[in-house]
Amino acid sequence: MAPGETQFWRVTNSAADTILDLQVLYDGFPQTLQIVGIDAVPVNSRMGPNPAKLIPVTRFRLPVAGRVEFLVKAPASTVKVARLVTNNINTGNQGDCDPTRPVFNIVLTQEETSTVTAAQTSPSTSTAFSANQQRFGGLSSVPVSITRTFQFSEKQPTEFFITQVSAGQQPTLFDNNNPPGSLPRRDRWKKWIIQNVSAGEP
């Protein structure tokens, strides 16, 4: 990073089953990240009181297949160790080992300003910087036709269950050949509540 510059970062969690608890640390001190978008959806959409206002955080928990976009300011020249890290995640007695560890180090370039051109750094209209593309704007006012509750559970090491408890279903071993457990209609909005009741997996 060039001294004094602010960069736009897009971080994805492409791991199979590891949660990331992200922080930017300068000599061990957490830095403020300005959240721009989560899972390609801009924060503070037109539904809120502060449209397109960024959200300041010092850490962000990123689930599997998740994506977050944020602004981060370069460290001062006096900083000795600058890193993006993921913190320890306690996944239970039967879960994976996810200790605190660095993702990468951040170093300053010698130039006072970035050599990257404005055309390369300017976001396109399809990124989370666009305040006009609100994919889920107005969703909170849509009438819900039905609420369904699903539970994920398992029996180690190989048995996995998806149960629609709101319909009175009993846990049935998951099989790709089973018929669909729920058939949504395109002209109706449904509210789904997903519960993870497994013993050791996030």
Side-chain angles (χ1 to χ4, degrees):
M1 300 180 72
E5 81 168 339
T6 298
Q7 290 187 354
F8 172 78
W9 289 8
R10 175 177 291 135
V11 181
T12 63
N13 184 351
S14 302
D17 58 0
T18 300
I19 300 172
L20 302 179
D21 189 7
L22 299 173
Q23 274 191 313
V24 172
L25 300 179
Y26 293 167
D27 287 340
F29 291 94
Q31 302 301 300
T32 298
L33 310 175
Q34 299 290 340
I35 301 295
V36 175
I38 301 171
D39 292 332
V41 180
V43 298
N44 283 327
S45 70
R46 61 188 179 194
M47 296 299 298
N50 300 305
K53 184 177 181 180
L54 307 185
I55 300 176
V57 300
T58 56
R59 65 194 299 170
F60 186 87
R61 185 162 288 192
L62 189 63
V64 172
R67 166 177 147 184
V68 64
E69 295 154 325
F70 54 86
L71 303 180
V72 58
K73 188 174 181 180
S77 59
T78 55
V79 172
K80 294 180 173 58
V81 179
R83 287 176 172 171
L84 174 68
V85 305
T86 177
N87 293 291
N88 174 68
I89 300 289
N90 184 356
T91 61
N93 295 331
Q94 300 181 25
D96 297 326
C97 179
D98 295 334
T100 298
R101 56 205 184 278
V103 178
F104 58 74
N105 293 328
I106 303 167
V107 296
L108 291 177
T109 61
Q110 297 301 317
E111 295 82 2
E112 288 300 320
T113 57
S114 176
T115 57
V116 181
T117 65
Q120 290 174 302
T121 58
S122 298
S124 67
T125 56
S126 62
T127 72
F129 269 115
S130 175
N132 298 320
Q133 299 180 7
Q134 307 298 340
R135 291 172 54 193
F136 303 114
L139 188 60
S140 61
S141 61
V142 172
V144 175
S145 61
I146 190 172
T147 298
R148 301 185 189 278
T149 301
F150 297 86
Q151 287 186 346
F152 291 77
S153 57
E154 65 180 358
K155 291 183 180 179
Q156 293 282 355
T158 59
E159 296 185 354
F160 179 64
F161 306 86
I162 302 177
T163 308
Q164 187 182 166
V165 295
S166 57
Q169 293 180 357
Q170 296 300 311
T172 302
L173 185 65
F174 178 78
D175 188 330
N176 284 325
N177 298 312
N178 288 343
S182 177
L183 295 174
R185 288 180 52 177
R186 295 182 60 184
D187 58 344
R188 293 184 180 179
W189 291 92
K190 295 182 173 64
K191 179 180 179 181
W192 285 17
I193 300 173
I194 311 297
Q195 300 173 340
N196 182 359
V197 296
S198 60
E201 292 293 336

